[in-house]
Amino acid sequence: MRIIYEFGKKGRLRFISHLDLQRFMMRALRRTDLPVAYSHGFNPHPQMSFASALAMGWSSDAELMDIRLTESVDPAHALEQMRAALPPEMPVHRCRLVDDKHPALMARLEMADYRVELAGPDAAKIIAGIDGYMAEDTVMAVRKTKSGEKEVNIRPLTISLKAEGNALLMRLMLTPEDTLKPDLLLGVLAQRANAADYESAIFRTALLARDDRGGIVGLMEL
Amino acid sequence: MTLSDKIDSLMMQVEKPVRYVGGEFGSIMKKPEDVSVRYAFLFPDTYEVGMSHLGMKILYHTINKREDAWCERVFSPWVDMEQKMRENDIPLFTLESRTPVREFDLLGITLQYEMSYTNILSALDLAGLPLRAADREEGPFVVCGGPCAYNPEPLAPFVDFFVLGDGEVSTHQYIDVYKAWKASGRPRGDFLKMIVGIQGVYVPSFYDVSYNDDGTIRSVVPKPGTGAPALVMKALVNDLTAADYPERLIVPYGEVVHNRIMLEIFRGCTRGCRFCQAGMIYRPVRERSMERLLELAERLVNATGYDEISLMSLSSGDYSCLPDLAREMVQRFYEKRVAISLPSQRIDNFLADTLKETQKVKKTGLTLAPEAGTQRLRDVINKGVTEEDLMRSVRDAFEQGWSSVKLYFMLGLPTETDEDAMGIVDLAEKVRAVYFSVPKTQRAPGFRVTVSASVFVPKPFTPFQWCGQLGAEDVIRRQQMIRQAISRLKGVDFKYHAPDLSFLEATFALGDRRMGDVLERAYRLGCRFDGWNDQFRFDLWLKAFEETGVDPDFYATRAKALDERLPWDHLDAGVSKEFLLCEWAKAQRGELTHDCRKGCVGCGVKRYEGACV
């Protein structure tokens, strides 16, 4: 049996690194009465995984954590337990019990939605340029990876890009092979618009997958 | 932009933002309008160091238990953050509510280490407060406690009052008076007069200090009309079982030095090692009952999710029912996979076996602290350990599968000779021989002995308070003698440091009010985080001494006459001066003083009501 929690990481907690979050969650789980399954070996630890690491500095309301349990639990109780174990700036939105055969979240994650709030004198210039960007076929940008820098065409990795007031709504690819991060896209848009004087705040609003018929659904709904 | 937004805007520009984030699980939030006293508690070092400190956890808990007060934490911003804060006009702020420290009622600072003093000045400055207490007309009262408060004089110009001894009760006493003072609308100076009667409270501005022609102190006397006592007695909590102890803890996000449950099983130490200030100032020994400890352990495990409990004290092996406690803990927490740990020294085999099952620590390191290389010198310092004891511990460890041993020593102990120093090499050699005498099939591979030698710093309220520190030349010469001799021993490493830092530490440990000028000068010259190797600027410190005309050797290396008035003689740490004098005389004769559980040694702490009954 597994349980998937959807939770947020907001406010000042956006500056907690992913590694620190993992360690923190291990301790949080020990504050609950959930029948968490532990790994074997010299240093047993809870069997848990995150759908995707969130970069330091970004907020989110859509993080997913997948925990293996040794037996089934009442979801309402599990929700209440996790809420009590986390601080207010890590709100737990919902949870779902799935069986062991349920696909691994990480394997099915395909794209993510972001809301990028813009402020400052040049914000409007950036927003004005998004139609131009979407009309291109090829936009080359340098992506930093663990193995170094690589020039990639980011346009096909941009599923959609819209403006809503002073915010950009982005739907971007997020798979091991094809990933476009919102800060990279924002940088490209700013460069194209010749914008330098602006501030931004990045929120992840959804983690998405494709269902059996190829439609886009929330990763949690799979 | 709010202060909080300004802080957030710096987070991606500094190293380890987790130091400044706050909002950890277990941190206490209250509404400012619901409390009448706001208390900022500063640990004058980094978050990682401060969050590992038990005293802060205890005071945070006991203050926040009050409905009328809110205690919040502050740590020294690392140099990168300090610079950014200054560039962006961000004042020193608390982690909980991100409120500027200058808006608080009280600013409590713990003095764990002399080399954090420049960070205190930096904190006052960042808070927007004048450094000198006399120049502060508003803002929080600055109160300092902790072990270094037993010689508060170098900090006297900057601090409104000190509290000596245990904080569990005295903190509430002065908070109560603060409330009454605030409600009364009386002038600022009156508050200090209202607290001088509280046991443990020392108000330095209420004393006149005069000096002899040779620079030594002539007198320290209370100013008339202040009500300040001629001798300040420390605050003492007699019943530790009944005393407040945290039942929940703040669980940090980032890794901190000690990221586990710390359970203080007793306070004080009965052994009487003559170099050890903690062993003197925390007297008498007070144990927490086993029932209370088990109850606390249960609650803390549930409240924090930690998987390790460390049984803390100055000498945990001396807890009167340690085997029972350890066995019970191991049994109760086995299912929850909570490891129980305690210092590996002086653990008998049975206990080692009990703990082995749950201890997460790999079997690699055993730490022993012989402190001195020869029996003669170990007798001088009253370290009741013989070479036989040491070799037995080491043999046991090697036979049980340990392969590396750390040995801690001090260089420059009183009466030390070159022969004593070379005794360190001799011991290391014998440890090596023990390892190779264990049959190859029984011992673990990977033999390693790490010999560390720190430089001895004489401390107030110890029998060595009159001793001068060994000069740098002799320290370096002995370090080199040892280094050369040890380099011939395969598998043995020697670790040592330049004596500069210990020398500076001694000037503050043994210094008087005139050191305050040196401190301020060094701070102005840019000294910060002096205890951190990469930040320590001995050259700037020497410049500060030179510019203020203060001779560091007067405090550090000069031996004091037994009838000289010492800077802390108007304070009482529990042990009497007669006892310290007697111990110093015995030390010079190489005579031992037995552990006081085997009979009272007359240290003087019985002068305190309810102590040692």
Side-chain angles (χ1 to χ4, degrees), chain A residues 12-13 16 24 86-90, chain B residues 18 20-29 47 60 73 94-98 250-253:
Chain A
R12 47 183 161 179
L13 297 195
I16 306 300
F24 178 79
L86 295 182
E89 283 157 312
M90 247 181 237
Chain B
V18 74
Y20 316 104
V21 165
E24 306 97 318
F25 183 84
S27 59
I28 309 272
M29 295 303 289
Y47 177 87
Y60 185 80
R73 295 160 300 146
T94 55
L95 284 192
E96 277 76 4
S97 67
R98 295 186 164 180
I250 297 170
V251 184
Y253 291 103

PDB file of all heavy atoms in Angstrom, chain A residues 12-13 16 24 86-90, chain B residues 18 20-29 47 60 73 94-98 250-253:
ATOM      1  N   ARG A  12       8.368  31.649   3.503  1.00  0.00           N
ATOM      2  CA  ARG A  12       9.821  31.580   3.713  1.00  0.00           C
ATOM      3  C   ARG A  12      10.371  30.171   3.511  1.00  0.00           C
ATOM      4  O   ARG A  12      11.564  29.996   3.286  1.00  0.00           O
ATOM      5  CB  ARG A  12      10.176  32.100   5.093  1.00  0.00           C
ATOM      6  CG  ARG A  12       9.332  31.563   6.235  1.00  0.00           C
ATOM      7  CD  ARG A  12       9.790  32.247   7.511  1.00  0.00           C
ATOM      8  NE  ARG A  12       8.809  32.170   8.576  1.00  0.00           N
ATOM      9  CZ  ARG A  12       9.005  32.686   9.783  1.00  0.00           C
ATOM     10  NH1 ARG A  12      10.137  33.295  10.069  1.00  0.00           N
ATOM     11  NH2 ARG A  12       8.082  32.593  10.702  1.00  0.00           N
ATOM     12  N   LEU A  13       9.485  29.152   3.570  1.00  0.00           N
ATOM     13  CA  LEU A  13       9.990  27.781   3.405  1.00  0.00           C
ATOM     14  C   LEU A  13      10.415  27.488   1.972  1.00  0.00           C
ATOM     15  O   LEU A  13      10.954  26.427   1.686  1.00  0.00           O
ATOM     16  CB  LEU A  13       8.954  26.769   3.887  1.00  0.00           C
ATOM     17  CG  LEU A  13       8.607  26.854   5.378  1.00  0.00           C
ATOM     18  CD1 LEU A  13       7.862  25.605   5.813  1.00  0.00           C
ATOM     19  CD2 LEU A  13       9.860  27.019   6.240  1.00  0.00           C
ATOM     20  N   ILE A  16      14.069  26.413   1.567  1.00  0.00           N
ATOM     21  CA  ILE A  16      14.575  25.130   2.055  1.00  0.00           C
ATOM     22  C   ILE A  16      14.971  24.282   0.848  1.00  0.00           C
ATOM     23  O   ILE A  16      14.179  24.111  -0.067  1.00  0.00           O
ATOM     24  CB  ILE A  16      13.472  24.384   2.860  1.00  0.00           C
ATOM     25  CG1 ILE A  16      12.916  25.265   3.970  1.00  0.00           C
ATOM     26  CG2 ILE A  16      13.976  23.059   3.399  1.00  0.00           C
ATOM     27  CD1 ILE A  16      13.928  25.714   4.966  1.00  0.00           C
ATOM     28  N   PHE A  24      13.829  16.535   6.411  1.00  0.00           N
ATOM     29  CA  PHE A  24      12.776  17.061   7.265  1.00  0.00           C
ATOM     30  C   PHE A  24      11.544  16.157   7.214  1.00  0.00           C
ATOM     31  O   PHE A  24      10.931  15.867   8.239  1.00  0.00           O
ATOM     32  CB  PHE A  24      12.411  18.477   6.810  1.00  0.00           C
ATOM     33  CG  PHE A  24      11.289  19.066   7.610  1.00  0.00           C
ATOM     34  CD1 PHE A  24      11.523  19.598   8.865  1.00  0.00           C
ATOM     35  CD2 PHE A  24       9.996  19.061   7.114  1.00  0.00           C
ATOM     36  CE1 PHE A  24      10.480  20.130   9.618  1.00  0.00           C
ATOM     37  CE2 PHE A  24       8.953  19.585   7.862  1.00  0.00           C
ATOM     38  CZ  PHE A  24       9.196  20.115   9.110  1.00  0.00           C
ATOM     39  N   LEU A  86       3.414  18.930  10.042  1.00  0.00           N
ATOM     40  CA  LEU A  86       4.093  19.907   9.190  1.00  0.00           C
ATOM     41  C   LEU A  86       3.756  21.333   9.631  1.00  0.00           C
ATOM     42  O   LEU A  86       2.685  21.586  10.168  1.00  0.00           O
ATOM     43  CB  LEU A  86       3.674  19.695   7.726  1.00  0.00           C
ATOM     44  CG  LEU A  86       4.093  18.360   7.108  1.00  0.00           C
ATOM     45  CD1 LEU A  86       3.657  18.288   5.658  1.00  0.00           C
ATOM     46  CD2 LEU A  86       5.595  18.149   7.207  1.00  0.00           C
ATOM     47  N   PRO A  87       4.688  22.248   9.380  1.00  0.00           N
ATOM     48  CA  PRO A  87       4.436  23.636   9.770  1.00  0.00           C
ATOM     49  C   PRO A  87       3.417  24.297   8.837  1.00  0.00           C
ATOM     50  O   PRO A  87       3.163  23.786   7.742  1.00  0.00           O
ATOM     51  CB  PRO A  87       5.816  24.292   9.639  1.00  0.00           C
ATOM     52  CG  PRO A  87       6.548  23.452   8.665  1.00  0.00           C
ATOM     53  CD  PRO A  87       6.006  22.066   8.774  1.00  0.00           C
ATOM     54  N   PRO A  88       2.827  25.421   9.252  1.00  0.00           N
ATOM     55  CA  PRO A  88       1.769  26.068   8.476  1.00  0.00           C
ATOM     56  C   PRO A  88       2.177  26.404   7.036  1.00  0.00           C
ATOM     57  O   PRO A  88       1.318  26.375   6.150  1.00  0.00           O
ATOM     58  CB  PRO A  88       1.482  27.361   9.243  1.00  0.00           C
ATOM     59  CG  PRO A  88       2.052  27.160  10.594  1.00  0.00           C
ATOM     60  CD  PRO A  88       3.127  26.148  10.488  1.00  0.00           C
ATOM     61  N   GLU A  89       3.460  26.697   6.823  1.00  0.00           N
ATOM     62  CA  GLU A  89       3.846  27.071   5.463  1.00  0.00           C
ATOM     63  C   GLU A  89       4.079  25.849   4.562  1.00  0.00           C
ATOM     64  O   GLU A  89       4.548  25.974   3.438  1.00  0.00           O
ATOM     65  CB  GLU A  89       5.073  27.994   5.493  1.00  0.00           C
ATOM     66  CG  GLU A  89       4.675  29.418   5.895  1.00  0.00           C
ATOM     67  CD  GLU A  89       5.814  30.233   6.468  1.00  0.00           C
ATOM     68  OE1 GLU A  89       6.519  29.700   7.363  1.00  0.00           O
ATOM     69  OE2 GLU A  89       6.012  31.378   6.040  1.00  0.00           O
ATOM     70  N   MET A  90       3.767  24.675   5.085  1.00  0.00           N
ATOM     71  CA  MET A  90       3.757  23.450   4.287  1.00  0.00           C
ATOM     72  C   MET A  90       2.370  22.810   4.404  1.00  0.00           C
ATOM     73  O   MET A  90       2.204  21.776   5.035  1.00  0.00           O
ATOM     74  CB  MET A  90       4.818  22.486   4.809  1.00  0.00           C
ATOM     75  CG  MET A  90       5.956  22.246   3.836  1.00  0.00           C
ATOM     76  SD  MET A  90       7.109  21.071   4.558  1.00  0.00           S
ATOM     77  CE  MET A  90       8.578  22.044   4.501  1.00  0.00           C
TER      78      MET A  90
ATOM     79  N   VAL B  18      19.071  28.671   4.795  1.00  0.00           N
ATOM     80  CA  VAL B  18      18.312  27.974   5.826  1.00  0.00           C
ATOM     81  C   VAL B  18      18.644  28.515   7.220  1.00  0.00           C
ATOM     82  O   VAL B  18      17.866  28.387   8.160  1.00  0.00           O
ATOM     83  CB  VAL B  18      18.573  26.439   5.706  1.00  0.00           C
ATOM     84  CG1 VAL B  18      19.942  26.062   6.197  1.00  0.00           C
ATOM     85  CG2 VAL B  18      17.491  25.635   6.413  1.00  0.00           C
ATOM     86  N   TYR B  20      18.567  31.563   8.034  1.00  0.00           N
ATOM     87  CA  TYR B  20      17.806  32.782   8.311  1.00  0.00           C
ATOM     88  C   TYR B  20      16.313  32.620   8.068  1.00  0.00           C
ATOM     89  O   TYR B  20      15.551  33.562   8.211  1.00  0.00           O
ATOM     90  CB  TYR B  20      18.341  33.936   7.443  1.00  0.00           C
ATOM     91  CG  TYR B  20      19.853  33.966   7.411  1.00  0.00           C
ATOM     92  CD1 TYR B  20      20.572  33.526   6.305  1.00  0.00           C
ATOM     93  CD2 TYR B  20      20.563  34.380   8.538  1.00  0.00           C
ATOM     94  CE1 TYR B  20      21.957  33.511   6.299  1.00  0.00           C
ATOM     95  CE2 TYR B  20      21.950  34.372   8.540  1.00  0.00           C
ATOM     96  CZ  TYR B  20      22.648  33.933   7.413  1.00  0.00           C
ATOM     97  OH  TYR B  20      24.012  33.911   7.413  1.00  0.00           O
ATOM     98  N   VAL B  21      15.922  31.426   7.613  1.00  0.00           N
ATOM     99  CA  VAL B  21      14.549  31.217   7.167  1.00  0.00           C
ATOM    100  C   VAL B  21      13.562  31.228   8.329  1.00  0.00           C
ATOM    101  O   VAL B  21      12.519  31.874   8.280  1.00  0.00           O
ATOM    102  CB  VAL B  21      14.457  29.898   6.367  1.00  0.00           C
ATOM    103  CG1 VAL B  21      13.004  29.480   6.205  1.00  0.00           C
ATOM    104  CG2 VAL B  21      15.100  30.079   4.998  1.00  0.00           C
ATOM    105  N   GLY B  22      13.868  30.515   9.403  1.00  0.00           N
ATOM    106  CA  GLY B  22      12.920  30.419  10.526  1.00  0.00           C
ATOM    107  C   GLY B  22      11.712  29.586  10.141  1.00  0.00           C
ATOM    108  O   GLY B  22      11.712  28.892   9.127  1.00  0.00           O
ATOM    109  N   GLY B  23      10.657  29.684  10.945  1.00  0.00           N
ATOM    110  CA  GLY B  23       9.427  28.964  10.629  1.00  0.00           C
ATOM    111  C   GLY B  23       9.562  27.464  10.737  1.00  0.00           C
ATOM    112  O   GLY B  23       8.780  26.714  10.147  1.00  0.00           O
ATOM    113  N   GLU B  24      10.541  26.982  11.508  1.00  0.00           N
ATOM    114  CA  GLU B  24      10.740  25.555  11.645  1.00  0.00           C
ATOM    115  C   GLU B  24       9.592  24.919  12.438  1.00  0.00           C
ATOM    116  O   GLU B  24       8.922  25.592  13.216  1.00  0.00           O
ATOM    117  CB  GLU B  24      12.044  25.241  12.405  1.00  0.00           C
ATOM    118  CG  GLU B  24      13.288  25.871  11.856  1.00  0.00           C
ATOM    119  CD  GLU B  24      13.633  27.151  12.588  1.00  0.00           C
ATOM    120  OE1 GLU B  24      12.698  27.936  12.869  1.00  0.00           O
ATOM    121  OE2 GLU B  24      14.818  27.368  12.879  1.00  0.00           O
ATOM    122  N   PHE B  25       9.444  23.620  12.255  1.00  0.00           N
ATOM    123  CA  PHE B  25       8.455  22.895  13.036  1.00  0.00           C
ATOM    124  C   PHE B  25       8.866  22.973  14.504  1.00  0.00           C
ATOM    125  O   PHE B  25      10.005  22.694  14.857  1.00  0.00           O
ATOM    126  CB  PHE B  25       8.394  21.432  12.586  1.00  0.00           C
ATOM    127  CG  PHE B  25       7.341  20.662  13.326  1.00  0.00           C
ATOM    128  CD1 PHE B  25       6.019  20.688  12.909  1.00  0.00           C
ATOM    129  CD2 PHE B  25       7.668  19.930  14.455  1.00  0.00           C
ATOM    130  CE1 PHE B  25       5.048  20.001  13.609  1.00  0.00           C
ATOM    131  CE2 PHE B  25       6.702  19.234  15.159  1.00  0.00           C
ATOM    132  CZ  PHE B  25       5.394  19.271  14.737  1.00  0.00           C
ATOM    133  N   GLY B  26       7.912  23.356  15.327  1.00  0.00           N
ATOM    134  CA  GLY B  26       8.210  23.425  16.751  1.00  0.00           C
ATOM    135  C   GLY B  26       8.598  24.824  17.229  1.00  0.00           C
ATOM    136  O   GLY B  26       8.682  25.063  18.430  1.00  0.00           O
ATOM    137  N   SER B  27       8.853  25.746  16.287  1.00  0.00           N
ATOM    138  CA  SER B  27       9.143  27.108  16.738  1.00  0.00           C
ATOM    139  C   SER B  27       7.829  27.743  17.199  1.00  0.00           C
ATOM    140  O   SER B  27       6.759  27.432  16.691  1.00  0.00           O
ATOM    141  CB  SER B  27       9.832  27.930  15.644  1.00  0.00           C
ATOM    142  OG  SER B  27       9.035  28.011  14.493  1.00  0.00           O
ATOM    143  N   ILE B  28       7.956  28.621  18.178  1.00  0.00           N
ATOM    144  CA  ILE B  28       6.758  29.125  18.849  1.00  0.00           C
ATOM    145  C   ILE B  28       6.320  30.459  18.260  1.00  0.00           C
ATOM    146  O   ILE B  28       7.112  31.401  18.202  1.00  0.00           O
ATOM    147  CB  ILE B  28       7.022  29.317  20.362  1.00  0.00           C
ATOM    148  CG1 ILE B  28       7.636  28.054  20.967  1.00  0.00           C
ATOM    149  CG2 ILE B  28       5.752  29.776  21.089  1.00  0.00           C
ATOM    150  CD1 ILE B  28       6.685  27.023  21.448  1.00  0.00           C
ATOM    151  N   MET B  29       5.078  30.508  17.814  1.00  0.00           N
ATOM    152  CA  MET B  29       4.518  31.759  17.317  1.00  0.00           C
ATOM    153  C   MET B  29       3.450  32.238  18.298  1.00  0.00           C
ATOM    154  O   MET B  29       2.632  31.449  18.768  1.00  0.00           O
ATOM    155  CB  MET B  29       3.893  31.547  15.931  1.00  0.00           C
ATOM    156  CG  MET B  29       4.901  31.173  14.833  1.00  0.00           C
ATOM    157  SD  MET B  29       6.248  32.364  14.612  1.00  0.00           S
ATOM    158  CE  MET B  29       5.362  33.752  13.867  1.00  0.00           C
ATOM    159  N   TYR B  47      23.718  29.700  13.112  1.00  0.00           N
ATOM    160  CA  TYR B  47      22.504  28.917  13.382  1.00  0.00           C
ATOM    161  C   TYR B  47      22.845  27.467  13.702  1.00  0.00           C
ATOM    162  O   TYR B  47      22.348  26.903  14.666  1.00  0.00           O
ATOM    163  CB  TYR B  47      21.620  28.994  12.131  1.00  0.00           C
ATOM    164  CG  TYR B  47      20.352  28.181  12.180  1.00  0.00           C
ATOM    165  CD1 TYR B  47      19.197  28.726  12.723  1.00  0.00           C
ATOM    166  CD2 TYR B  47      20.297  26.889  11.655  1.00  0.00           C
ATOM    167  CE1 TYR B  47      18.011  27.994  12.748  1.00  0.00           C
ATOM    168  CE2 TYR B  47      19.126  26.160  11.676  1.00  0.00           C
ATOM    169  CZ  TYR B  47      17.985  26.712  12.223  1.00  0.00           C
ATOM    170  OH  TYR B  47      16.828  25.976  12.255  1.00  0.00           O
ATOM    171  N   TYR B  60      14.324  28.908  26.031  1.00  0.00           N
ATOM    172  CA  TYR B  60      13.269  29.153  25.033  1.00  0.00           C
ATOM    173  C   TYR B  60      11.969  28.527  25.517  1.00  0.00           C
ATOM    174  O   TYR B  60      10.899  29.131  25.464  1.00  0.00           O
ATOM    175  CB  TYR B  60      13.711  28.535  23.704  1.00  0.00           C
ATOM    176  CG  TYR B  60      12.801  28.788  22.522  1.00  0.00           C
ATOM    177  CD1 TYR B  60      12.847  29.998  21.838  1.00  0.00           C
ATOM    178  CD2 TYR B  60      11.936  27.805  22.043  1.00  0.00           C
ATOM    179  CE1 TYR B  60      12.050  30.225  20.728  1.00  0.00           C
ATOM    180  CE2 TYR B  60      11.132  28.025  20.931  1.00  0.00           C
ATOM    181  CZ  TYR B  60      11.196  29.232  20.278  1.00  0.00           C
ATOM    182  OH  TYR B  60      10.409  29.459  19.170  1.00  0.00           O
ATOM    183  N   ARG B  73      14.238  33.571  18.700  1.00  0.00           N
ATOM    184  CA  ARG B  73      15.677  33.305  18.532  1.00  0.00           C
ATOM    185  C   ARG B  73      16.350  34.261  17.547  1.00  0.00           C
ATOM    186  O   ARG B  73      15.746  34.686  16.571  1.00  0.00           O
ATOM    187  CB  ARG B  73      15.892  31.877  18.024  1.00  0.00           C
ATOM    188  CG  ARG B  73      15.465  30.787  18.974  1.00  0.00           C
ATOM    189  CD  ARG B  73      15.262  29.494  18.211  1.00  0.00           C
ATOM    190  NE  ARG B  73      14.226  29.697  17.202  1.00  0.00           N
ATOM    191  CZ  ARG B  73      14.214  29.106  16.016  1.00  0.00           C
ATOM    192  NH1 ARG B  73      15.168  28.258  15.676  1.00  0.00           N
ATOM    193  NH2 ARG B  73      13.245  29.350  15.156  1.00  0.00           N
ATOM    194  N   THR B  94      14.614  38.711  14.552  1.00  0.00           N
ATOM    195  CA  THR B  94      14.395  37.387  15.146  1.00  0.00           C
ATOM    196  C   THR B  94      13.881  36.428  14.078  1.00  0.00           C
ATOM    197  O   THR B  94      13.259  36.839  13.098  1.00  0.00           O
ATOM    198  CB  THR B  94      13.354  37.465  16.268  1.00  0.00           C
ATOM    199  OG1 THR B  94      12.153  38.049  15.745  1.00  0.00           O
ATOM    200  CG2 THR B  94      13.868  38.290  17.430  1.00  0.00           C
ATOM    201  N   LEU B  95      14.135  35.137  14.279  1.00  0.00           N
ATOM    202  CA  LEU B  95      13.712  34.151  13.287  1.00  0.00           C
ATOM    203  C   LEU B  95      12.205  33.920  13.301  1.00  0.00           C
ATOM    204  O   LEU B  95      11.613  33.665  12.261  1.00  0.00           O
ATOM    205  CB  LEU B  95      14.410  32.809  13.538  1.00  0.00           C
ATOM    206  CG  LEU B  95      15.873  32.706  13.131  1.00  0.00           C
ATOM    207  CD1 LEU B  95      16.324  31.258  13.176  1.00  0.00           C
ATOM    208  CD2 LEU B  95      16.090  33.269  11.734  1.00  0.00           C
ATOM    209  N   GLU B  96      11.586  33.972  14.477  1.00  0.00           N
ATOM    210  CA  GLU B  96      10.167  33.637  14.549  1.00  0.00           C
ATOM    211  C   GLU B  96       9.299  34.648  13.803  1.00  0.00           C
ATOM    212  O   GLU B  96       8.630  34.310  12.846  1.00  0.00           O
ATOM    213  CB  GLU B  96       9.714  33.521  16.009  1.00  0.00           C
ATOM    214  CG  GLU B  96      10.001  32.169  16.649  1.00  0.00           C
ATOM    215  CD  GLU B  96      11.466  31.986  17.010  1.00  0.00           C
ATOM    216  OE1 GLU B  96      12.245  32.944  16.821  1.00  0.00           O
ATOM    217  OE2 GLU B  96      11.844  30.902  17.477  1.00  0.00           O
ATOM    218  N   SER B  97       9.312  35.889  14.278  1.00  0.00           N
ATOM    219  CA  SER B  97       8.402  36.885  13.697  1.00  0.00           C
ATOM    220  C   SER B  97       9.107  37.884  12.795  1.00  0.00           C
ATOM    221  O   SER B  97       8.471  38.768  12.241  1.00  0.00           O
ATOM    222  CB  SER B  97       7.696  37.645  14.813  1.00  0.00           C
ATOM    223  OG  SER B  97       8.642  38.431  15.529  1.00  0.00           O
ATOM    224  N   ARG B  98      10.412  37.726  12.648  1.00  0.00           N
ATOM    225  CA  ARG B  98      11.193  38.680  11.850  1.00  0.00           C
ATOM    226  C   ARG B  98      10.968  40.113  12.317  1.00  0.00           C
ATOM    227  O   ARG B  98      10.696  41.017  11.508  1.00  0.00           O
ATOM    228  CB  ARG B  98      10.875  38.534  10.365  1.00  0.00           C
ATOM    229  CG  ARG B  98      11.322  37.176   9.829  1.00  0.00           C
ATOM    230  CD  ARG B  98      11.154  37.064   8.350  1.00  0.00           C
ATOM    231  NE  ARG B  98      11.922  35.933   7.825  1.00  0.00           N
ATOM    232  CZ  ARG B  98      11.959  35.585   6.551  1.00  0.00           C
ATOM    233  NH1 ARG B  98      11.286  36.262   5.657  1.00  0.00           N
ATOM    234  NH2 ARG B  98      12.680  34.561   6.157  1.00  0.00           N
ATOM    235  N   ILE B 250      12.442  22.571  18.644  1.00  0.00           N
ATOM    236  CA  ILE B 250      12.432  23.053  17.268  1.00  0.00           C
ATOM    237  C   ILE B 250      13.228  22.068  16.425  1.00  0.00           C
ATOM    238  O   ILE B 250      14.341  21.695  16.788  1.00  0.00           O
ATOM    239  CB  ILE B 250      13.051  24.455  17.183  1.00  0.00           C
ATOM    240  CG1 ILE B 250      12.195  25.432  17.986  1.00  0.00           C
ATOM    241  CG2 ILE B 250      13.188  24.892  15.737  1.00  0.00           C
ATOM    242  CD1 ILE B 250      12.829  26.791  18.167  1.00  0.00           C
ATOM    243  N   VAL B 251      12.633  21.619  15.326  1.00  0.00           N
ATOM    244  CA  VAL B 251      13.329  20.678  14.448  1.00  0.00           C
ATOM    245  C   VAL B 251      13.842  21.454  13.237  1.00  0.00           C
ATOM    246  O   VAL B 251      13.048  21.901  12.417  1.00  0.00           O
ATOM    247  CB  VAL B 251      12.384  19.547  13.997  1.00  0.00           C
ATOM    248  CG1 VAL B 251      13.123  18.522  13.158  1.00  0.00           C
ATOM    249  CG2 VAL B 251      11.736  18.882  15.211  1.00  0.00           C
ATOM    250  N   PRO B 252      15.150  21.647  13.151  1.00  0.00           N
ATOM    251  CA  PRO B 252      15.686  22.474  12.059  1.00  0.00           C
ATOM    252  C   PRO B 252      15.524  21.793  10.695  1.00  0.00           C
ATOM    253  O   PRO B 252      15.428  20.575  10.619  1.00  0.00           O
ATOM    254  CB  PRO B 252      17.175  22.603  12.391  1.00  0.00           C
ATOM    255  CG  PRO B 252      17.352  22.045  13.751  1.00  0.00           C
ATOM    256  CD  PRO B 252      16.213  21.137  14.015  1.00  0.00           C
ATOM    257  N   TYR B 253      15.488  22.611   9.656  1.00  0.00           N
ATOM    258  CA  TYR B 253      15.450  22.050   8.297  1.00  0.00           C
ATOM    259  C   TYR B 253      16.831  21.603   7.872  1.00  0.00           C
ATOM    260  O   TYR B 253      17.025  20.498   7.426  1.00  0.00           O
ATOM    261  CB  TYR B 253      14.919  23.100   7.314  1.00  0.00           C
ATOM    262  CG  TYR B 253      13.472  23.390   7.533  1.00  0.00           C
ATOM    263  CD1 TYR B 253      13.067  24.549   8.182  1.00  0.00           C
ATOM    264  CD2 TYR B 253      12.509  22.492   7.116  1.00  0.00           C
ATOM    265  CE1 TYR B 253      11.733  24.800   8.400  1.00  0.00           C
ATOM    266  CE2 TYR B 253      11.174  22.738   7.343  1.00  0.00           C
ATOM    267  CZ  TYR B 253      10.788  23.890   7.985  1.00  0.00           C
ATOM    268  OH  TYR B 253       9.480  24.128   8.221  1.00  0.00           O
TER     269      TYR B 253
END
